[in-house]
Amino acid sequence: MKLTKRINQLSESMTIAISSLARDLKEEGKDVISFSAGEPDFGTPQVIKDAAIEALTLGKTTYTAIGGTNEVKQAIADKLKRENGLDYDPSDIIVSVGAKHSLFNIFQSLIEDGDEVIIPAPYWVTYPEQTKYSGGKVVDILTTDENGFKITPQQLKDAITPKSKILILTTPSNPTGSVYSKDELIALADVLKDTNITVVSDEMYEKLVYDGIKFTAVASISEDMFNRTITVNGLSKSVAMTGWRFGYIATPNKELVKAMTKLQGQSTSNINSITQHAAIVALNGSADQDVEMMRVEFEKRRDLACDLFNQIDGLSVIKPQGAFYLYVNIKNVEKDSMKFSQDLLQEVGVAVVPGVGFGLDGYFRFSFATDEATIKDGISRIKRFVESKK
Ligand code: PMP
Ligand code: GLU
């Protein structure tokens, strides 16, 4: 049986691969602590679980409309209005099997062979793979800790060609935690205004922002940005619902919604009906107290982890304003992040994701979505490892 060229060219998700390896090693009884997982260590809030039980009791166990029930799409539209100041109609929304699936629908519906997708690096591992799988070409814009891992308007201008089709913005970012301010987004919007570029704004981590800053939705910048932006979001990170698989897209482009609904209708159909019913409670603010509790806890862990890393001679990290990742600079110790991460796992039993997987070597990603005692233990092992290299 011969596999297709396009599937052979697809790389495995490095974030999932390393999390699975760490889990296997632990199950074999090895002393391994993992900072590789991109998922909250909290359980789903009880009100949401109760709503899932209610869905079963009410018999909400049948197929629904492909892109989600009217109720859940209305709940998303209400959320986008209330929290982000965005006016979407429920018919502008489509619900998918996690935001990863939402992105897949977008790429498959919009990218033709040779179309260019501009991706700020370091990036979340899935964007370049989905781009290539759709026949597109990745154009990355490199950022480093020196510019806060954010692209500048000039960098964006330089990356644009007649073939540019999509710009991906992820704020707050996975893997760096950087957050674009409203002014920074306005400046990027200014570069886009005379182009046909569609912005895919991945806002998965919008609820996880720190230092009292306010999250700005990309589509809220201007009417022009509203019209060119596809807003992508979900419930995995904001309300600790990774396993439920709920992602969504909002776009005023009716033709695109229709296309993605057609694709979904021939692939997955609707996402599971129980998750849809429970999601309404997650979207309508009923779990806000739990969300805030998690946010406060993540902020404390971020402070702790940053302080501990910056005490290690040879490593450095900038304090991110969002998400639950640190992107730690290891260039003074080892430029090859894959080697660093493999040796770290082997020698002191700590799993992190090498920066090379995110398109910027010389760093590793450390997820602080784990308890303080584990963070302290892990970073002291990393310290021991780094000191042994001198
Ligand atoms: N976008 C970003 C930036 C992510 O980090 C993730 C997963 N960690 C996703 C999208 C996809 O999330 P899900 O498929 O669980 O909704
Ligand atoms: N996105 C999360 C991460 O970056 C989960 C794994 C994945 O979907 O790639 O670790």
Side-chain angles (χ1 to χ4, degrees):
M1 214 183 295
K2 195 166 178 313
L3 299 179
T4 61
K5 216 168 17 173
R6 62 176 192 284
I7 197 69
N8 281 332
Q9 278 169 358
L10 190 72
S11 302
E12 186 184 6
S13 164
M14 194 184 283
T15 47
I16 294 182
I18 296 191
S19 310
S20 313
L21 173 66
R23 201 179 308 125
D24 291 347
L25 290 171
K26 250 193 267 182
E27 276 169 14
E28 283 168 23
K30 302 248 165 63
D31 174 23
V32 167
I33 23 184
S34 178
F35 301 97
S36 55
E39 68 179 330
D41 56 324
F42 298 102
T44 302
Q46 191 59 44
V47 273
I48 302 172
K49 292 196 230 173
D50 289 344
I53 294 166
E54 183 188 68
L56 288 170
T57 311
L58 293 174
K60 292 190 178 288
T61 53
T62 59
Y63 290 134
T64 72
I66 295 165
T69 62
N70 287 335
E71 291 80 7
V72 80
K73 289 199 291 185
Q74 185 65 56
I76 293 168
D78 292 346
K79 177 262 177 228
L80 290 166
K81 175 78 188 154
R82 189 178 70 246
E83 296 182 353
N84 309 110
L86 297 171
D87 272 307
Y88 290 108
D89 188 77
S91 63
D92 299 334
I93 290 163
I94 160 166
V95 176
S96 307
V97 189
K100 195 179 272 183
H101 182 214
S102 305
L103 290 162
F104 191 77
N105 283 339
I106 296 170
F107 282 113
Q108 289 295 320
S109 305
L110 286 183
I111 297 296
E112 295 277 20
D113 280 355
D115 282 346
E116 293 181 357
V117 178
I118 303 175
I119 311 179
Y123 41 65
W124 179 44
V125 292
T126 291
Y127 306 136
E129 293 308 316
Q130 290 198 357
T131 300
K132 287 183 265 171
Y133 197 71
S134 315
K137 180 170 170 250
V138 174
V139 175
D140 58 5
I141 303 181
L142 224 50
T143 69
T144 68
D145 41 9
E146 277 155 31
N147 44 28
F149 297 115
K150 289 190 252 190
I151 59 167
T152 61
Q154 189 58 48
Q155 280 183 302
L156 177 57
K157 219 179 271 175
D158 295 343
I160 293 173
T161 77
K163 289 192 173 160
S164 305
K165 181 87 186 255
I166 286 179
L167 163 69
I168 298 182
L169 286 177
T170 313
T171 176
S173 150
N174 175 7
T176 69
S178 64
V179 182
Y180 286 89
S181 69
K182 188 169 182 183
D183 285 346
E184 287 165 338
L185 291 174
I186 290 171
L188 294 178
D190 199 47
V191 177
L192 295 171
K193 75 178 186 309
D194 298 320
T195 72
N196 291 322
I197 295 173
T198 295
V199 177
V200 173
S201 179
D202 182 339
E203 305 184 353
M204 282 297 287
Y205 296 89
E206 67 160 326
K207 297 284 171 83
L208 298 175
V209 290
Y210 313 121
D211 304 326
I213 64 163
K214 207 175 158 316
F215 166 78
T216 306
V218 170
S220 72
I221 289 299
S222 62
E223 197 182 330
D224 176 65
M225 283 302 276
F226 180 78
N227 289 330
R228 70 170 72 243
T229 297
I230 306 171
T231 301
V232 177
N233 208 329
L235 299 174
S236 288
K237 321 289 167 162
S238 55
V239 265
M241 289 178 71
T242 48
W244 298 66
R245 312 309 300 132
F246 188 95
Y248 62 88
I249 292 160
T251 165
N253 185 327
K254 306 273 182 222
E255 199 190 357
L256 177 60
V257 173
K258 217 166 138 195
M260 293 188 294
T261 307
K262 185 169 66 173
L263 175 60
Q264 202 162 295
Q266 297 289 22
S267 50
T268 59
S269 285
N270 62 273
I271 77 155
N272 96 60
S273 54
I274 299 150
T275 293
Q276 290 189 56
H277 185 72
I280 295 170
V281 172
L283 289 157
N284 72 11
S286 301
D288 279 2
Q289 270 185 330
D290 300 271
V291 171
E292 179 58 8
M293 178 279 291
M294 292 189 258
R295 194 197 64 76
V296 168
E297 192 54 40
F298 283 133
E299 184 159 0
K300 273 198 270 175
R301 295 171 184 182
R302 174 204 63 160
D303 292 344
L304 171 72
C306 281
D307 285 350
L308 293 174
F309 272 122
N310 284 324
Q311 284 166 25
I312 302 177
D313 198 20
L315 301 191
S316 66
V317 66
I318 54 166
K319 205 181 249 193
Q321 287 190 304
F324 42 58
Y325 307 107
L326 302 182
Y327 207 62
V328 183
N329 187 327
I330 55 171
K331 284 186 250 180
N332 287 331
V333 180
E334 168 66 68
K335 291 197 170 52
D336 180 345
S337 61
M338 185 58 90
K339 178 171 175 7
F340 182 97
S341 305
Q342 280 169 344
D343 291 350
L344 187 70
L345 183 57
Q346 195 138 40
E347 291 177 32
V348 292
V350 171
V352 295
V353 188
V356 66
F358 303 106
L360 183 65
D361 210 352
Y363 297 79
F364 65 78
R365 188 189 79 172
F366 178 94
S367 162
F368 54 86
T370 187
D371 62 274
E372 285 192 8
T374 309
I375 289 173
K376 282 184 190 156
D377 182 10
I379 301 180
S380 82
R381 290 186 197 202
I382 294 172
K383 184 165 192 259
R384 187 153 36 93
F385 172 79
V386 169
E387 282 168 358
S388 75
K389 301 288 148 202
K390 284 192 188 131

